Amino acid sequence: MKVDVDIRRLSATPAETAARPLPRSQLVRKIAAAAAEGDVTAAMEHLTSYVGASHYLLSREDLLQEASLSFIVTSDWPFDLVRKLANELTGTQSRSSEMEKCLALLRPRLLTLPDDAVVPEGIDRQYWTLTFCVGRLRFSLLLMFSEGILPPEERLREAGMLAGYFASFGIVEGAKTERDIDLTERELECLFWIAEGKTSDEMAMILGISRNTINNYITSVMRKTATKTRSEAIAYAVRNNLV
């Protein structure tokens, strides 16, 4: 399935949305056909038209900490706006606990773009976002609308479920998350012993290394998993089948 960012699409002007959305059954058939061909962009275009949005952005939350725009799966948001929003998304994620992230699944939220962000003419500065999971990966769907358009939240939730449906066709097929790759064997050992309730001193005795080294490993684990406490690191490990 294609997941590369098309920079030309990021700079695209708003597309005309359909006056009347496709019937749900017809929409599902079109999305299924696009997903079967590995064309996630076409699937997103059908979904965007269905909810009456002007722009879409589909991202992987587990890659938000990366320095590039590799967290984007597909998008037709203006490129400069995506670059501006990346820091906002990363900051929001880092301030959210694992419990808050779980409770936010498929719950549409209305957010506002930064004051210094330049939006296309006629597009509302507020945008809708919702998250959903496909296997072990968490995705975010961000939708911009023309000024004065207020989409029904039920349709937004439906969009999230349909996005999860076509994403499951191949975006994560045979893939391994970056966070899995980043964690070393020693860091995974520390995660296991944290989950067992061991202190740094106890782990140092078990593994035969110093307490400071243990703490360094744990700090590295929390940095790579974007967690702030040992409890959140355990929750991450359990959710991703690491322990």
Side-chain angles (χ1 to χ4, degrees):
M1 179 170 285
K2 296 189 299 184
V3 296
D4 293 335
V5 178
D6 187 339
I7 297 300
R8 292 171 300 177
R9 296 192 61 78
L10 290 175
S11 304
T13 55
E16 290 294 329
T17 56
R20 294 181 180 178
L22 291 172
R24 187 178 307 163
S25 58
Q26 188 176 347
L27 171 71
V28 172
R29 285 197 298 271
K30 285 183 174 291
I31 286 177
E37 294 176 0
D39 194 347
V40 65
T41 297
M44 272 306 312
E45 288 174 345
H46 292 312
L47 193 57
T48 301
S49 177
Y50 179 69
V51 297
S54 61
H55 292 76
Y56 63 85
L57 188 155
L58 181 63
S59 69
R60 274 180 54 174
E61 287 199 2
D62 60 302
L63 297 181
L64 273 175
Q65 300 294 327
E66 305 298 326
S68 65
L69 296 179
S70 59
F71 68 93
I72 299 173
V73 176
T74 183
S75 173
D76 67 351
W77 284 43
F79 180 74
D80 289 342
L81 187 55
V82 174
R83 188 167 52 186
K84 173 73 68 176
L85 190 64
N87 290 333
E88 294 289 324
L89 294 174
T90 302
T92 299
Q93 186 192 56
S94 64
R95 292 190 298 269
S96 300
S97 67
E98 285 296 314
M99 180 62 73
E100 289 171 330
K101 291 174 184 177
C102 290
L103 292 176
L105 291 175
L106 290 175
R107 292 181 60 186
R109 292 183 298 154
L110 185 61
L111 304 178
T112 303
L113 293 167
D115 292 337
D116 56 348
V118 178
V119 299
E121 184 177 356
I123 301 302
D124 203 318
R125 297 192 66 84
Q126 292 185 307
Y127 64 96
W128 288 91
T129 178
L130 71 161
T131 58
F132 61 91
C133 289
V134 177
R136 294 164 59 182
L137 296 184
R138 183 186 279 115
F139 291 83
S140 287
L141 175 61
L142 283 65
L143 297 169
M144 297 174 67
F145 290 81
S146 299
E147 293 177 343
I149 293 182
L150 185 64
E153 290 195 22
E154 185 57 39
R155 179 156 291 186
L156 291 171
R157 281 191 290 271
E158 187 177 6
M161 289 186 285
L162 287 170
Y165 164 68
F166 72 70
S168 67
F169 268 70
I171 289 179
V172 298
E173 185 177 317
K176 200 174 185 184
T177 69
E178 291 293 323
R179 296 297 168 235
D180 290 345
I181 296 172
D182 283 346
L183 294 179
T184 66
E185 289 300 319
R186 187 64 91 179
E187 289 168 346
L188 288 171
E189 279 185 302
C190 289
L191 260 180
F192 171 79
W193 290 116
I194 291 173
E196 291 293 310
K198 302 299 183 183
T199 66
S200 292
D201 289 330
E202 290 170 332
M203 283 188 281
M205 293 182 63
I206 293 169
L207 299 178
I209 53 181
S210 71
R211 181 178 185 276
N212 286 340
T213 301
I214 290 291
N215 288 336
N216 287 337
Y217 281 130
I218 295 172
T219 298
S220 178
V221 167
M222 290 192 289
R223 176 179 59 81
K224 291 177 179 180
T225 58
T227 54
K228 294 176 286 186
T229 66
R230 295 190 181 197
S231 295
E232 288 189 8
I234 294 170
Y236 177 95
V238 171
R239 180 164 53 84
N240 289 280
N241 299 318
L242 298 179
V243 295

